[in-house]
Every structure is written in structure tokens, then in C-alpha cells.
């Protein structure tokens, strides 16, 4: 199933810079592993915000929840999830 996920990050101002650096490095490694696996298909920055718009391709809602809750930045995120379905007018056959 495809999902559009918008993630907005709000790191606490009092978070130690060393801790923030550690969390951000873990987040990058985790997200890049998911991208390599094909589960995190696309990621785009949202201009002017500490946020991204991503497309996930996972088995079901439970798998998406596991992935998102495993993000090192998860405690500092507001997340919006929208399930996506193939549009009947779409001309590309390589998306479902």
C-alpha cells in the first residue's frame, strides 16, 4: 500500500547539541536503510519548514506504524498519514 506521510519536526530548544547530533545521525541511517529497501520510496523537503513529504510503500497500516514509531525523531514529530490509491486515469503502470 502507498501512503503519503507528512512529518514536521519540532526539536526541543533545550535538547543538548550532542544529543541532537546523535539522534539526527541515527535518523539519517534509519531512513536511508528504508529507502534502499524500497519501503520509503520518496522523500521531499517542504520549503521553509523543518518538515518532509514522503511516500511509503508498505504491506499495511501496521507496518507503516512500526516504521514511523521506530524513527529516532518520532518523539519530536507531528505526523499526518494519507493512504493513497491508484487513480483510474493514471497512465503509468509501474505504480500501484
Amino acid at each position: 500500500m502507498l501512503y503519503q506521510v507528512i512529518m514536521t519536526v519540532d526539536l526541543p530548544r533545550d535538547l543538548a547539541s550532542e544529543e541532537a547530533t546523535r539522534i539526527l545521525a541515527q535518523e539519517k541511517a534509519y531512513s536511508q536503510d528504508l529507502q534502499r529497501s524500497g519501503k520509503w520510496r520518496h522523500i521531499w523537503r517542504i520549503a521553509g519548514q523543518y518538515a518532509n513529504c514522503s511516500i511509503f510503500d508498505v504491506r499495511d497500516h501496521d507496518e507503516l506504524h512500526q516504521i514511523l514509531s521506530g524513527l529516532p525523531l518520532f518523539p519530536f514529530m507531528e505526523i499526518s498519514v494519507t493512504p493513497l490509491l491508484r487513480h483510474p486515469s493514471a497512465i503509468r503502470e509501474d505504480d500501484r
Side-chain angles (χ1 to χ4, degrees):
M1 292 183 68
L2 295 177
Y3 296 87
Q4 172 192 291
V5 179
I6 297 177
M7 296 175 251
T8 303
V9 179
D10 186 16
L11 289 175
R13 292 184 186 267
D14 61 349
L15 185 65
S17 63
E18 300 82 20
E19 179 69 4
T21 299
R22 183 187 65 75
I23 292 169
L24 292 171
Q26 289 176 333
E27 181 84 8
K28 183 175 184 176
Y30 183 76
S31 70
Q32 288 181 345
D33 285 345
L34 288 165
Q35 289 174 67
R36 285 185 198 94
S37 77
K39 292 180 184 294
W40 196 326
R41 289 183 53 178
H42 301 280
I43 182 171
W44 295 277
R45 281 184 166 171
I46 298 176
Q49 299 179 36
Y50 191 177
N52 73 73
C53 176
S54 294
I55 303 296
F56 286 83
D57 188 357
V58 294
R59 182 181 59 253
D60 55 27
H61 303 327
D62 288 333
E63 183 178 17
L64 180 64
H65 180 76
Q66 280 186 309
I67 288 170
L68 295 177
S69 62
L71 289 165
L73 286 172
F74 181 77
F76 312 110
M77 289 182 168
E78 180 178 319
I79 299 175
S80 171
V81 176
T82 305
L84 301 173
L85 300 168
R86 182 173 167 76
H87 195 282
S89 297
I91 62 170
R92 292 201 175 103
E93 296 296 326
D94 61 343
D95 266 336
R96 16 183 217 301

